[in-house]
């Protein structure tokens, strides 16, 4: 089994590379994971920097003593995949973020589409965004990533159109698409932006604006997936076809 991942704010180690993992991450390692001397761990800042380590000892319930190797950095993968996710109902947003993180999406942009039942306003919006970001962090750790996806603030339709205009490949999942996403010609580098609409579908005026920005409509398959699962399925298609899964 691969080594568990823990998030740290710094990699400052003492003499002999001795590092103390404490706080919530230390408690999780000692009291939940119950790590013991000799076991491997990976420490990361979630932005690509990592250091492998070996457990030396534990202190109390929340301090893990680790011998830390030198810090390395994993470069960003290419092409970069951003998914614009329309706001689902209830906790389906966290489900979408969790599974998209697990498959390897690089950035997630919440979108307040016209037909979204859920709307992020005021404190409720800030709380929901915080949940999405916390979910991305935990799913990143669970899937052994060291570069977690960025979760942006909620975007308007005009802001989404601007993202599509700047992309090297821009796609909108929609049943009206003449071409399947599985057969689209994809770039080997640069930025891929994929838009996933709400349960009620992308509104005609949104679809027209996205088309003007270069966002072509593509169909995913014969069945219509829920908004909380469509992004993950589509991202898997893209990641496999661009070679990132090889």
């Amino acid at each position: 089994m691969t080594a568990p991942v823990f998030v740290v704010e710094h990699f400052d180690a003492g003499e002999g590379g001795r590092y103390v993992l404490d706080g919530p991450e230390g408690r999780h390692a000692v009291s939940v994971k119950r790590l013991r001397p000799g076991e491997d761990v990976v420490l990361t800042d979630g932005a690509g920097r990592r250091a492998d380590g070996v457990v030396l000892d534990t202190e109390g319930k929340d301090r893990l003593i680790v011998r830390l190797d030198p810090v390395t950095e994993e470069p960003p993968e290419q092409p970069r995949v951003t998914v614009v996710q329309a706001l689902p109902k209830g906790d389906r947003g966290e489900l979408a973020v969790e599974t998209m993180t697990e498959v390897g999406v690089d950035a997630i942009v919440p979108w307040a589409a016209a037909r979204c039942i859920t709307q992020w306003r005021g404190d409720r919006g800030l709380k929901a965004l915080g949940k999405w970001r916390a979910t991305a962090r935990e799913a990143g750790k669970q899937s052994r990533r060291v570069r977690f996806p960025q979760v942006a603030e909620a975007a308007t339709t005009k802001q989404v159109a601007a993202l599509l205009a700047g992309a090297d490949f821009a796609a909108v999942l929609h049943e009206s698409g003449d071409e399947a996403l599985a057969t689209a010609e994809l770039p080997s580098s640069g930025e891929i932006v994929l838009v996933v609409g709400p349960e009620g579908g992308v509104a005609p005026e949104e679809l027209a604006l996205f088309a003007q920005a270069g966002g072509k409509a593509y169909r995913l398959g014969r069945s219509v997936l829920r908004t909380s699962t469509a992004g993950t399925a589509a991202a898997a298609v893209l990641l496999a076809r661009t070679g990132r899964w090889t």
Side-chain angles (χ1 to χ4, degrees):
M1 186 174 180
T2 55
V5 173
F6 298 95
V7 181
V8 297
E9 294 182 358
H10 66 84
F11 296 92
D12 301 331
E15 185 176 350
R18 187 177 183 274
Y19 185 95
V20 179
L21 180 67
D22 54 11
E25 292 290 86
R27 178 174 293 276
H28 186 72
V30 175
S31 299
V32 179
K33 290 288 190 180
R34 298 184 180 277
L35 296 179
R36 296 292 181 261
E39 295 190 80
D40 296 327
V41 296
V42 174
L43 305 186
T44 181
D45 61 0
R49 300 177 70 209
R50 64 172 290 164
D52 296 329
V54 176
V55 177
L56 297 175
D57 202 355
T58 61
E59 294 178 354
K61 297 181 179 180
D62 59 359
R63 287 168 62 88
L64 190 75
I65 314 303
V66 178
R67 185 181 70 246
L68 210 58
D69 290 343
V71 178
T72 60
E73 183 166 359
E74 291 188 4
E77 295 199 72
Q78 289 289 329
R80 188 171 190 266
V81 177
T82 295
V83 176
V84 177
Q85 173 66 59
L87 304 177
K89 295 183 294 183
D91 60 359
R92 287 190 170 273
E94 288 97 279
L95 172 64
V97 171
E98 180 180 52
T99 53
M100 285 192 288
T101 298
E102 290 173 356
V103 299
V105 166
D106 302 294
I108 301 168
V109 180
W111 171 36
R115 292 177 176 174
C116 283
I117 296 175
T118 299
Q119 295 293 326
W120 286 3
R121 296 189 179 93
D123 291 341
R124 179 182 179 182
L126 292 175
K127 183 177 179 180
L129 178 59
K131 286 184 177 180
W132 280 36
R133 287 175 171 169
T135 299
R137 170 189 166 111
E138 292 307 310
K141 290 167 56 180
Q142 180 65 33
S143 54
R144 309 300 196 259
R145 291 180 62 168
V146 297
R147 190 177 291 276
F148 302 162
Q150 299 172 336
V151 180
E153 295 186 0
T156 64
T157 297
K158 287 185 177 180
Q159 289 171 327
V160 173
L163 282 176
L164 293 169
D168 297 280
F169 176 82
V172 181
L173 290 185
H174 199 268
E175 60 269 21
S176 67
D178 294 327
E179 186 178 350
L181 189 64
T183 61
E185 186 175 347
L186 303 175
S188 58
S189 61
E191 181 87 19
I192 290 176
V193 177
L194 174 73
V195 176
V196 179
E199 296 291 351
V202 181
E205 60 273 18
E206 294 170 333
L207 201 60
L209 181 62
F210 294 161
Q212 291 175 6
K216 182 179 176 179
Y218 289 88
R219 66 181 186 277
L220 187 56
R222 293 183 180 179
S223 60
V224 177
L225 302 181
R226 300 197 68 161
T227 185
S228 54
T229 55
T232 300
V237 171
L238 295 172
L239 291 166
R241 294 197 58 240
T242 56
R244 283 184 49 175
W245 272 13
T246 58

